[in-house]
Amino acid sequence: QFPFGRRLPCDIYWHGVSFHDNNIFSGQVNKFPGMLETVRKITLSRAMRTMQDLFPLEYNFYPRSWILPEELPLFMAEVRMMKDRNPSWKPTFIVKPDGGCQGDGIYLIKDPGDIRLTGSTQSRPAVVQEYICKPLLVDKLKFDIRLYVLLKSLEPLEIYIAKDGLSRFCTEPYQEPTLKNLHQVFMHLTNYSLNIHSGNFIHSDSANTGSKRTFSSILCRLSSRGADVKKLWSDIISLVIKTIIALTPELKVYYQSDIPAGKPGPTCFQILGFDILLLKNLKPMLLEVNANPSMRIEHEQELSPGVFGNVPSPVDERVKVAVIRDTLRLIDPQKKKKKDTHLSFHTYLLIFPTQLQCLHAGTASMKDKQHKHHSLKLSLKLKFYLKLGFSEPDAAAAPPSPEPALPSLCLKQVFPKYAKHFSYLRLVDRVAALFIHFLGVKGTTKLGPTGFRTFIRNCKLSNSNFSMAAVDILYIDITRRWNSMGIDHKESGMCLQAFVEAFFCLAQKKYKSLPLHEQVASLIELCECRLAEPRGKRLLWGCG
């Protein structure tokens, strides 16, 4: 570990929270720039809504959402209208703070007027969604699924899904929401960090029982009841690919800002946590995406009255160790040079050199509690590396001899393997490519008015019915509205979401009789075609 940085370059950097934990210029880093911002609840909801506008049937796995506080009047009006159309409709809604995690600040409401507006929503924006009232139950308990997804590359897009995940259970039998049980978090919220404080939480060494189980154990149970498990997996793979496709446009803008094309820089990969809920009919619904899923393989437990300690969690070990191990195998920079893809622990010995020597010398000399706690943490880390399949180093031993091969990969490639089934969905990706093309100055994420005018001129989108004055008005109106929403104010200009809205507006003006996705696809093809024309055939304008 290098808390103060490292002068010599590494092959792989493993950051704790974000891409910007350290300034690095080579190798591979386990975070994408902008991922934290892209999977926040509001940004994710906006990205999913854009895709729902284009492809409503393909993106019906994400609950209907509204963004607070700016869409509160719209939310109240739409709920009132739906109730007028169907008086028997008695919805429940769930409110989630934008930056919240581990269930913090989440609550359920039956009426839009119950949203807590005592200043907190203004300072802490939130997403309100339709609550899924009829989930699949196991042992009369509600549960969700945490699946681990490796985004190995952004360009070209490469996605892997772990073959097993975690099923996290509520600790009180589920009942559909009523005014009496709305506040019973152990019944309605599946967050592990909440339910672990319930007196009914069960720590189990078995993958098939307890309050945290493997997803594979749930699949076995469903299969024994005659459920079509293959179709369920197919639907989950489709959900993951479609969600990543919705997120990649924003990620590409951040990526070109931090790692401009043509300049030296690291390549990125990242493990994401997908939280998925199953309906009674086994349809998977996306709850959220976590940029920093917990990789702990132990949990805190009361060992004796008043004395707590960390004990191994076999269920976590079974799933998470395989994910980390196989991620390292897939991104191993030396893999192409090796006949055997086995990784030795010695490759990573530089992480804990002095601490490991201390462990080898024994911990009997460590007298105070702080050193004992430090030793326990280090031994857990060492055990974790050994669980990955790496060998323990021995300073006096000869160079390691060939070791047995590691288990087969638990990570399954789903993209580009199934690319042909999903490529038609990548329209916003192509809009983002146009946006990046006209950004002009490298390292920026906002498009200035000159860049927007250049886009219009070079793609020949202005005419007698749509003058350059109208172009300027469109730019000002949309940019001002997006900036008023509290989007990034570090630099002025038009963000990607605002550009996408402007692009959709232009497409609707030009191709009035077509469905929206065909309008957008037609305008993209027109712009790409005109930008591909030889330079002598069109007037070039600097992006300024």
Side-chain angles (χ1 to χ4, degrees):
Q1 290 178 319
F2 293 94
F4 304 109
R6 170 180 162 86
R7 291 184 180 180
L8 296 175
C10 296
D11 291 326
I12 299 168
Y13 295 82
W14 200 275
H15 288 183
V17 177
S18 80
F19 175 83
H20 296 287
D21 283 359
N22 290 292
N23 293 321
I24 56 176
F25 305 99
S26 64
Q28 299 184 80
V29 62
N30 71 319
K31 304 291 179 187
F32 279 92
M35 183 65 82
L36 271 174
E37 294 81 359
T38 302
V39 301
R40 287 174 72 101
K41 294 177 181 67
I42 285 179
T43 317
L44 174 65
S45 294
R46 284 194 173 116
M48 299 303 282
R49 183 185 297 172
T50 298
M51 299 306 292
Q52 286 171 337
D53 289 342
L54 289 168
F55 305 103
L57 295 179
E58 287 87 339
Y59 280 83
N60 63 1
F61 57 82
Y62 191 69
R64 187 167 10 186
S65 307
W66 296 266
I67 294 160
L68 304 178
E70 70 221 39
E71 293 181 351
L72 179 59
L74 175 66
F75 169 55
M76 299 180 82
E78 289 189 359
V79 170
R80 193 182 308 115
M81 183 176 65
M82 288 185 281
K83 283 185 174 180
D84 289 343
R85 288 178 182 173
N86 183 9
S88 64
W89 183 56
K90 299 185 184 302
T92 302
F93 302 97
I94 184 167
V95 183
K96 304 177 182 179
D98 181 43
C101 61
Q102 301 181 335
D104 175 44
I106 296 177
Y107 61 96
L108 273 61
I109 59 172
K110 294 294 270 183
D111 187 272
D114 296 333
I115 288 177
R116 302 166 191 170
L117 287 174
T118 55
S120 61
T121 308
Q122 294 293 335
S123 57
R124 194 181 185 190
V127 168
V128 57
Q129 296 178 320
E130 279 191 77
Y131 180 74
I132 299 168
C133 294
K134 297 184 183 296
L136 177 71
L137 304 181
V138 169
D139 299 331
K140 299 182 180 180
L141 298 171
K142 179 180 174 182
F143 69 97
D144 75 354
I145 305 157
R146 162 61 61 84
L147 281 183
Y148 296 95
V149 175
L150 171 63
L151 181 56
K152 185 173 179 286
S153 169
L154 198 56
E155 193 62 62
L157 186 59
E158 196 169 349
I159 307 168
Y160 291 78
I161 299 180
K163 294 177 182 177
D164 203 356
L166 299 173
S167 299
R168 304 169 304 182
F169 281 75
C170 287
T171 46
E172 290 182 11
Y174 180 77
Q175 298 174 9
E176 288 195 25
T178 64
L179 290 174
K180 289 183 179 180
N181 68 31
L182 276 184
H183 307 295
Q184 296 183 24
V185 294
F186 297 144
M187 176 188 292
H188 294 293
L189 303 185
T190 54
N191 305 72
Y192 166 78
S193 52
L194 291 177
N195 282 281
I196 196 171
H197 299 294
S198 165
N200 297 327
F201 192 92
I202 300 172
H203 291 289
S204 175
D205 289 345
S206 168
N208 307 308
T209 59
S211 297
K212 186 188 282 189
R213 314 178 195 179
T214 60
F215 180 44
S216 55
S217 72
I218 302 298
L219 291 176
C220 286
R221 191 161 174 171
L222 292 174
S223 180
S224 68
R225 296 176 181 175
D228 190 345
V229 172
K230 285 187 177 180
K231 182 182 184 304
L232 173 57
W233 255 120
S234 176
D235 290 344
I236 288 173
I237 289 170
S238 175
L239 177 152
V240 168
I241 294 173
K242 289 174 181 177
T243 302
I244 296 288
I245 285 174
L247 297 176
T248 50
E250 195 78 38
L251 285 174
K252 287 182 178 179
V253 173
Y254 280 107
Y255 197 91
Q256 65 80 35
S257 174
D258 282 281
I259 312 173
K263 290 189 177 182
T267 56
C268 303
F269 65 96
Q270 189 153 352
I271 297 170
L272 302 172
F274 273 65
D275 293 344
I276 295 168
L277 189 73
L278 298 181
L279 302 183
K280 281 185 176 179
N281 63 0
L282 297 188
K283 175 183 172 63
M285 299 291 290
L286 177 68
L287 299 180
E288 59 183 62
V289 180
N290 196 314
N292 292 308
S294 170
M295 286 296 168
R296 287 188 62 177
I297 57 169
E298 74 280 342
H299 59 257
E300 192 177 73
Q301 191 167 313
E302 191 170 13
L303 304 178
S304 59
V307 178
F308 291 85
N310 287 326
V311 298
S313 169
V315 174
D316 285 294
E317 285 182 14
R318 178 170 168 176
V319 174
K320 296 176 182 178
V321 169
V323 170
I324 296 283
R325 179 193 65 220
D326 292 348
T327 296
L328 292 175
R329 291 167 73 186
L330 284 167
I331 57 98
D332 175 18
Q334 300 299 318
K335 183 167 60 177
K336 293 180 182 177
K337 300 178 183 179
K338 298 177 185 176
K339 290 183 180 178
D340 187 356
T341 58
H342 179 74
L343 293 176
S344 167
F345 184 89
H346 296 264
T347 309
Y348 297 90
L349 179 57
L350 60 90
I351 300 174
F352 306 113
T354 57
Q355 296 95 323
L356 285 174
Q357 290 172 9
C358 176
L359 284 171
H360 283 301
T363 57
S365 62
M366 297 181 181
K367 296 179 181 179
D368 63 285
K369 293 181 180 178
Q370 184 177 2
H371 280 112
K372 285 183 179 178
H373 178 67
H374 186 57
S375 172
L376 174 62
K377 286 177 68 178
L378 290 171
S379 71
L380 283 170
K381 287 178 179 177
L382 176 57
K383 287 177 184 175
F384 180 71
Y385 276 93
L386 298 181
K387 287 176 188 297
L388 292 178
F390 304 145
S391 57
E392 182 175 3
D394 184 349
S401 57
E403 300 172 22
L406 290 169
S408 60
L409 283 170
C410 79
L411 294 170
K412 173 186 177 181
Q413 190 195 81
V414 296
F415 201 96
K417 183 176 181 180
Y418 303 123
K420 65 180 182 180
H421 302 295
F422 299 94
S423 294
Y424 71 99
L425 299 173
R426 303 187 71 183
L427 292 182
V428 184
D429 243 14
R430 294 163 69 187
V431 176
L434 293 170
F435 177 79
I436 291 168
H437 179 83
F438 288 99
L439 278 176
V441 180
K442 289 182 178 179
T444 60
T445 60
K446 299 275 187 81
L447 186 67
T450 306
F452 188 71
R453 289 170 67 93
T454 304
F455 155 66
I456 296 294
R457 284 192 171 117
N458 283 10
C459 295
K460 302 176 184 175
L461 300 181
S462 62
N463 52 42
S464 57
N465 295 323
F466 187 58
S467 65
M468 292 309 293
V471 169
D472 291 338
I473 292 170
L474 178 68
Y475 175 88
I476 291 168
D477 286 349
I478 291 179
T479 302
R480 184 180 293 162
R481 182 158 45 77
W482 277 90
N483 287 341
S484 70
M485 293 178 190
I487 313 299
D488 182 18
H489 289 301
K490 293 178 183 176
E491 53 181 303
S492 61
M494 176 180 269
C495 63
L496 174 64
Q497 301 103 314
F499 181 79
V500 169
E501 182 183 328
F503 195 91
F504 284 17
C505 181
L506 293 170
Q508 288 168 313
K509 284 177 180 289
K510 195 166 186 67
Y511 305 100
K512 294 180 180 178
S513 61
L514 298 175
L516 179 61
H517 71 274
E518 291 184 26
Q519 292 173 333
V520 172
S522 299
L523 186 58
I524 290 171
E525 289 169 9
L526 177 68
C527 292
E528 290 173 342
C529 181
R530 288 183 174 169
L531 290 176
E533 289 176 0
R535 292 196 174 194
K537 289 191 175 184
R538 62 184 175 89
L539 182 62
L540 287 178
W541 298 79
C543 292

